[in-house]
Amino acid sequence: MNYEVFIGFKTIVVKETLRFARIWIQTILPSVITIFLYITIFGNFIGERIGTIKNFSYVDYIIPGLIIMPIITNSYMNVVGSFYSARFQKSVEEVLVSPVPNYIILLGYITGGVLRAFCVGAAVYFVTTYFTELKISNLGFTLIITFLTAFLFSTAGFINAVFANSFDDINIVPTFLLAPLTYLGGTFYPIEALPIFWKEASIFNPIAHLVSTFRYGFLDLVETDLTLSLLIIISLIVILYLIALTLLSKGIGIKN
């Protein structure tokens, strides 16, 4: 990456970072409040009646899933909101006519989503320390899964932003796709507890693989084949990234 290209990448990343940092009350604080409510209601009130799951207290068992939920939504919403706004205001055209390669433009937006995901993830993890003394068993692995998760859903958000025709459209995928996949992904229970059909279908649910790998990073608990889960996650990243880069290169949703 030469200096001129690096400056272009840095400019996009700084813009994206300042964008969510300036309005942290809307971008970071809601996730902190949500995690507090989830742990209070599900972890404490309901958890006392459930007891333990796989030798872990219920609140410790669900914390990895509760942390990865805002990581998914924030990385996704950061990119879909930012790029659609750039399309709507026509400011993205100024970026496209610049000498910055398309892959750098895409990586700039994705990096902004990844940074927001890490900020939110750190904030919600800090909240969980008030409810439990749970320590991260595999910090390096957890950070890698956090990065892969944020990269995956930042890329997905970019694709949604390309096809969105209104601000209402950017909420369709989170509402009708991400939410069901999240609640069927083993956040609040082990996948084995699902009916046979949903249990077998969970292999096609990427969020189930993300939750299980994240839970391994926190609890050192193996619930699925980690190699298979990582393979699925990385494959989805490659596929979605190539799709997003192709859409950007062809100007779909921008030049049309």
Side-chain angles (χ1 to χ4, degrees):
M1 182 184 298
N2 59 44
Y3 182 73
E4 290 77 11
V5 172
F6 173 74
I7 290 298
F9 174 76
K10 177 184 175 182
T11 301
I12 296 174
V13 172
V14 169
K15 176 184 74 70
E16 290 299 295
T17 303
L18 292 177
R19 176 179 174 273
F20 74 78
R22 280 197 301 262
I23 53 174
W24 62 272
I25 293 179
Q26 301 176 36
T27 56
I28 298 177
L29 186 59
S31 296
V32 172
I33 296 174
T34 301
I35 197 79
F36 176 83
L37 293 174
Y38 270 129
I39 295 179
T40 300
I41 297 172
F42 289 95
N44 292 339
F45 298 155
I46 298 178
E48 291 179 357
R49 293 168 173 77
I50 294 177
T52 61
I53 296 180
K54 299 183 178 180
N55 298 321
F56 293 96
S57 67
Y58 184 68
V59 65
D60 286 352
Y61 182 80
I62 67 173
I63 276 179
L66 293 180
I67 293 176
I68 207 169
M69 284 171 59
I71 289 174
I72 290 172
T73 55
N74 278 272
S75 58
Y76 187 93
M77 294 304 297
N78 192 77
V79 179
V80 71
S82 179
F83 192 74
Y84 179 75
S85 295
R87 282 184 54 214
F88 181 78
Q89 299 166 0
K90 305 296 184 181
S91 61
V92 69
E93 298 173 2
E94 300 175 2
V95 179
L96 293 176
V97 298
S98 69
V100 180
N102 288 325
Y103 77 92
I104 292 296
I105 296 174
L106 178 58
L107 286 177
Y109 277 98
I110 291 174
T111 302
V114 171
L115 290 175
R116 175 171 165 180
F118 269 94
C119 289
V120 171
V124 296
Y125 173 72
F126 180 75
V127 172
T128 65
T129 60
Y130 284 91
F131 295 89
T132 178
E133 297 181 356
L134 176 67
K135 304 296 182 182
I136 301 177
S137 297
N138 304 285
L139 179 59
F141 185 83
T142 301
L143 292 176
I144 291 173
I145 296 301
T146 301
F147 172 78
L148 293 177
T149 301
F151 197 101
L152 173 62
F153 286 95
S154 292
T155 310
F158 186 92
I159 295 173
N160 187 182
V162 168
F163 289 106
N165 294 316
S166 68
F167 283 100
D168 292 334
D169 290 345
I170 68 177
N171 291 313
I172 291 177
V173 172
T175 302
F176 295 102
L177 183 62
L178 294 186
L181 290 179
T182 298
Y183 289 109
L184 289 171
T187 300
F188 300 100
Y189 50 82
I191 292 295
E192 307 89 77
L194 288 171
I196 295 178
F197 173 79
W198 292 110
K199 178 182 176 181
E200 294 178 350
S202 65
I203 192 173
F204 301 105
N205 182 353
I207 295 181
H209 294 282
L210 290 169
V211 170
S212 65
T213 52
F214 209 63
R215 189 167 281 145
Y216 169 75
F218 266 80
L219 307 177
D220 201 25
L221 175 64
V222 179
E223 293 186 304
T224 60
D225 186 332
L226 293 177
T227 302
L228 175 62
S229 295
L230 288 172
L231 181 61
I232 291 174
I233 294 167
I234 294 173
S235 297
L236 284 174
I237 288 175
V238 173
I239 293 171
L240 292 185
Y241 179 82
L242 292 177
I243 292 174
L245 185 59
T246 300
L247 293 173
L248 183 61
S249 299
K250 293 185 176 181
I252 296 176
I254 302 170
K255 298 178 182 179
N256 299 355

